[in-house]
Amino acid sequence: SKRKTKVSAQSTAVPSWFSFGLSQLTTDPETAYSLSQDKLCTSKINELCCQPERHLMLDDGAIDFDKVFNKRSRPLDVEVGAGFGSWIVRQACENPERNYVAVELRADRVSQIFSRSVIEGPLDNLCVVGSECGDFLSHRVRNASVSTIYANHPEPPTQTYGNDQRDLRRIATGGDEPPHMLNSAAITAMAKCLQPGGRIVIVSDNRVYARLLAATLCKVVQSESRLLR
């Protein structure tokens, strides 16, 4: 006969400390081991990672971030294309009065952000999501619920697209776009998620890509004039 084995939160959390690479973020192996054995730290990891299901999905498929985060009154900020998470983890550490969501497509980077969030806190005001940003914002975030959406140094589709003014004019007037994260559909989804007075903040040091983004924003403003200004 098959025997049912009860899996405790501790038996899950402590091995995950090593399998996710969390211990590798500390400089001293002995410190990493002692942290994994520390009852207070283990308890906090259990609380963050091994909670029973709390019906986090709303009826429309959106995530109920009021239930994800313990404190509901905090403003909600989202970073798309969060990379390895250094920026958003620092923001969450320095601004405990705000809630943050890191959205990243690559699974290895999602794990790194998660690792950082546990090592630095563990943080109870940061949620890490593995998803394509446009799909996530369109289907998993409620309209008018986000304070600020950040895109820090997004990767351009190519190193040269945006040099030709004819391409930019075509996009700005409603033409086809190259495939990239911050296309007009994604920016439209961002705008719908914003609260009144909310902001989209895009930072780039690539002048050519910045021109493409500007043309894309023009396209969205012309087609969805009530969403952005």
Side-chain angles (χ1 to χ4, degrees), residues 78-131:
V78 176
E79 184 188 15
V80 296
F84 295 110
S86 56
W87 182 85
I88 197 165
V89 169
R90 185 169 66 251
Q91 294 300 310
C93 288
E94 295 177 356
N95 301 284
E97 74 284 357
R98 305 183 75 87
N99 289 329
Y100 292 89
V101 178
V103 184
E104 173 56 46
L105 180 61
R106 286 180 46 174
D108 58 331
R109 293 179 177 179
V110 171
S111 294
Q112 288 236 3
I113 302 171
F114 173 78
S115 300
R116 287 177 184 270
S117 72
V118 174
I119 294 296
E120 294 293 336
L123 298 171
D124 66 355
N125 63 333
L126 175 60
C127 173
V128 187
V129 175
S131 176

Side-chain angles (χ1 to χ4, degrees), residues 1-219:
S1 62
K2 294 183 178 179
R3 298 177 60 186
K4 293 184 178 180
T5 303
K6 184 177 181 181
V7 180
S8 67
Q10 181 173 348
S11 67
T12 302
V14 173
S16 295
W17 177 269
F18 295 98
S19 62
F20 270 96
L22 305 183
S23 61
Q24 298 304 313
L25 292 182
T26 63
T27 56
D28 180 9
E30 293 185 3
T31 302
Y33 181 77
S34 63
L35 283 172
S36 69
Q37 301 302 314
D38 183 84
K39 292 183 179 180
L40 178 61
C41 183
T42 300
S43 174
K44 190 63 177 178
I45 294 172
N46 292 344
E47 178 186 339
L48 293 175
C49 308
C50 305
Q51 299 181 44
E53 183 181 355
R54 293 187 294 174
H55 305 291
L56 301 181
M57 287 292 186
L58 298 166
D59 292 340
D60 59 2
I63 297 173
D64 188 348
F65 285 107
D66 286 345
K67 291 183 179 179
V68 171
F69 298 107
N70 293 328
K71 295 187 177 180
R72 305 181 180 187
S73 59
R74 298 168 175 168
L76 181 65
D77 296 336
V78 176
E79 184 188 15
V80 296
F84 295 110
S86 56
W87 182 85
I88 197 165
V89 169
R90 185 169 66 251
Q91 294 300 310
C93 288
E94 295 177 356
N95 301 284
E97 74 284 357
R98 305 183 75 87
N99 289 329
Y100 292 89
V101 178
V103 184
E104 173 56 46
L105 180 61
R106 286 180 46 174
D108 58 331
R109 293 179 177 179
V110 171
S111 294
Q112 288 236 3
I113 302 171
F114 173 78
S115 300
R116 287 177 184 270
S117 72
V118 174
I119 294 296
E120 294 293 336
L123 298 171
D124 66 355
N125 63 333
L126 175 60
C127 173
V128 187
V129 175
S131 176
E132 190 275 323
C133 76
D135 181 74
F136 171 73
L137 294 170
S138 297
H139 301 107
R140 303 303 177 199
V141 180
R142 303 207 89 170
N143 289 351
S145 64
V146 178
S147 176
T148 309
I149 298 177
Y150 297 92
N152 295 310
H153 298 281
E155 295 179 4
T158 70
Q159 293 300 316
T160 59
Y161 201 103
N163 265 332
D164 193 326
Q165 291 295 326
R166 292 171 297 181
D167 291 336
L168 298 180
R169 283 194 294 270
R170 185 177 65 253
I171 291 170
T173 55
D176 294 337
E177 310 164 45
H180 65 113
M181 181 178 74
L182 297 180
N183 55 37
S184 60
I187 292 176
T188 299
M190 289 181 183
K192 290 180 178 180
C193 292
L194 291 177
Q195 298 170 340
R199 300 180 302 151
I200 297 173
V201 179
I202 302 173
V203 179
S204 177
D205 57 3
N206 186 315
R207 185 184 298 271
V208 174
Y209 188 40
R211 290 194 182 109
L212 172 60
L213 293 174
T216 307
L217 283 164
C218 286
K219 178 179 180 178

